[in-house]
């Protein structure tokens, strides 16, 4: 059955505003989608809505944890993430290295390959990044997704990555040299971190792992997982009690509520039974996020007042 272009158009319009707010400034110059391209984009948002609202897909974590201001600090981080050479280290060329001597050679390559990095300095020469997924995710796929992520985002930079699968949640430590081979310096901002999360989640989905990178305000009431340090301490027996997850009842911003509202209206007004079922689930989730005092009796028809 052919889709309804009107419904697909509404899903794309409000889905872009909800999931990709950074693109809104470029909306006027973006080409208008039609035909199969419109249908494909609308189906992308159907899947994102179902993953976020119905299946509550696991959220990826991408976090910058610091960076070395000098080769001494970078070398110490190499030793830490490799467990002093006991874990396998992979570099930007795909070479896999292991052992203390290999770590020492990596340090020399970073220090002298390109602009010289002093032993200690005031300028950040590397960025340390963690890419993580919840407990139960296949560590080998987390590693593959992290590899593809790094190849795309840091193709002009030296970097090393190490998989840690001995703790509760599998994660990859990624250390990226700040200066590229062309002399440009990495300076990640909030928008870059959002894109990194989206990209990492996309790479995981490409390997068959359900993963989302929705902003907290978009997800609504959630359960906050234990932080990485707490999980690590528990795994090593240094924590007396692992506290239970507690729900976070952060209110949704008004523009997010508006987008969810319009998406629910579009789905509920569709001729597709699957769309209407998804719209009903979305309406339930919206009501839960807004609270009983603001609930509506039911979705309004598309285009109605």
């Amino acid at each position: 059955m052919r889709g309804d272009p009107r419904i697909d158009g509404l899903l794309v319009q409000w889905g872009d505003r909800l999931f990709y707010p950074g693109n809104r400034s470029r909306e006027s110059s973006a080409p208008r989608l039609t035909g199969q391209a419109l249908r494909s984009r609308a189906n992308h948002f159907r899947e994102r809505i179902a993953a976020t609202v119905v299946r509550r897909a696991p959220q990826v974590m991408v976090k910058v944890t610091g960076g070395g201001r000098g080769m001494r600090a970078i070398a110490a981080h190499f030793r830490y993430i490799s467990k002093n050479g006991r874990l396998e280290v992979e570099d930007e060329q795909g070479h896999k290295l292991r052992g203390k001597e290999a770590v020492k050679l990596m340090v020399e390559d970073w220090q002298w390959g390109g602009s010289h990095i002093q032993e200690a300095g005031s300028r950040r020469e590397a960025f340390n990044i963690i890419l993580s997924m919840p407990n139960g995710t296949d560590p080998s796929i987390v590693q593959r997704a992290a590899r593809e992520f790094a190849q795309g985002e840091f193709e002009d930079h030296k970097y090393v990555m190490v998989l840690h699968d001995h703790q509760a949640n599998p994660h990859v430590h990624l250390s990226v040299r700040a200066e590229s081979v062309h002399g440009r310096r990495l300076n990640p901002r909030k928008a870059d971190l959002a894109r990194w999360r989206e990209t990492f989640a996309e790479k995981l989905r490409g390997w068959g792992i359900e993963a989302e990178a929705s902003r907290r305000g978009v997800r609504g009431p959630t359960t906050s997982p234990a932080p990485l340090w707490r999980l690590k301490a528990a795994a090593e027996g240094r924590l007396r009690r692992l506290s239970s997850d507690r729900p976070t009842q952060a209110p949704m911003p008004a523009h997010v509520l508006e987008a969810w509202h319009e998406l629910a209206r579009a789905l509920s007004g569709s001729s597709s039974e699957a769309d209407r079922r998804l719209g009903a689930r979305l309406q339930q989730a919206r009501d839960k996020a807004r609270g009983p005092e603001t609930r509506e009796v039911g979705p309004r028809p598309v285009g109605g007042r």
Side-chain angles (χ1 to χ4, degrees):
M1 182 180 69
R2 295 181 59 187
D4 184 339
R6 184 173 61 100
I7 300 299
D8 288 347
L10 288 168
L11 292 178
V12 171
Q13 175 188 348
W14 291 101
D16 267 325
R17 294 189 184 190
L18 181 66
F19 292 104
Y20 304 106
N23 295 334
R24 294 189 63 182
S25 61
R26 298 190 291 274
E27 283 180 355
S28 58
S29 60
R32 188 174 182 84
L33 298 177
T34 58
Q36 185 56 40
L38 174 63
R39 183 66 172 174
S40 177
R41 186 65 172 168
N43 285 340
H44 167 78
F45 287 118
R46 287 181 174 92
E47 177 59 27
R48 293 292 304 269
I49 293 167
T52 302
V53 175
V54 179
R55 299 192 298 273
R56 306 297 287 182
Q59 296 287 327
V60 303
M61 187 195 80
V62 177
K63 184 177 182 180
V64 177
T65 60
R69 298 182 184 275
M71 205 61 229
R72 188 179 300 123
I74 295 172
H77 189 68
F78 284 0
R79 290 191 296 270
Y80 164 69
I81 63 176
S82 70
K83 301 300 180 185
N84 209 20
R86 293 194 301 275
L87 299 180
E88 184 178 81
V89 181
E90 182 176 334
D91 67 13
E92 76 283 354
Q93 299 180 44
H95 298 149
K96 297 177 172 61
L97 312 165
R98 190 190 295 264
K100 291 182 179 181
E101 189 62 30
V103 173
K104 188 179 299 184
L105 290 173
M106 278 193 309
V107 170
E108 293 177 0
D109 180 47
W110 272 49
Q111 186 164 24
W112 301 102
S115 299
H116 174 64
I117 300 178
Q118 298 179 352
E119 283 296 308
S122 59
R123 189 172 71 165
R124 178 171 291 184
E125 301 290 357
F127 287 89
N128 303 327
I129 304 167
I130 293 179
L131 301 100
S132 177
M133 277 293 282
N135 187 22
T137 310
D138 186 340
S140 67
I141 295 184
V142 174
Q143 184 181 40
R144 293 172 196 167
R147 180 184 297 120
E148 292 179 350
F149 164 83
Q151 288 170 345
E153 290 290 337
F154 309 119
E155 60 179 348
D156 295 331
H157 293 259
K158 285 183 180 293
Y159 61 79
V160 296
M161 53 180 285
V162 181
L163 171 68
H164 282 199
D165 60 357
H166 55 283
Q167 295 165 344
N169 54 331
H171 56 279
V172 167
H173 286 274
L174 181 64
S175 188
V176 184
R177 180 164 175 168
E179 185 179 89
S180 76
V181 295
H182 304 296
R184 293 190 294 270
R185 292 188 63 81
L186 188 65
N187 184 27
R189 302 183 184 278
K190 189 174 181 179
D192 296 310
L193 292 173
R195 187 187 71 253
W196 290 356
R197 291 187 71 236
E198 286 282 355
T199 302
F200 184 44
E202 179 184 329
K203 300 303 182 185
L204 285 163
R205 290 194 294 267
W207 287 99
I209 297 295
E210 191 160 63
E212 270 295 317
S214 306
R215 292 164 292 128
R216 184 176 293 275
V218 169
R219 300 196 299 271
T222 60
T223 297
S224 298
L228 183 61
W229 69 265
R230 186 179 292 276
L231 293 172
K232 181 178 178 182
E236 295 175 356
R238 296 185 287 105
L239 192 68
R240 293 181 180 179
R241 183 175 63 88
L242 184 62
S243 61
S244 59
D245 293 346
R246 293 182 297 177
T248 302
Q249 298 293 341
M252 282 188 178
H255 70 279
V256 171
L257 280 171
E258 180 188 20
W260 278 127
H261 170 71
E262 295 297 337
L263 288 168
R265 288 178 62 195
L267 289 165
S268 300
S270 172
S271 60
S272 164
E273 183 181 349
D275 276 355
R276 293 195 299 272
R277 285 199 302 266
L278 181 57
R281 293 293 299 272
L282 177 50
Q283 182 69 53
Q284 293 170 7
R286 251 182 16 97
D287 288 344
K288 180 179 178 182
R290 296 178 65 175
E293 69 283 356
T294 57
R295 291 181 187 174
E296 299 174 1
V297 174
R300 293 182 292 175
V302 176
R305 293 185 175 274

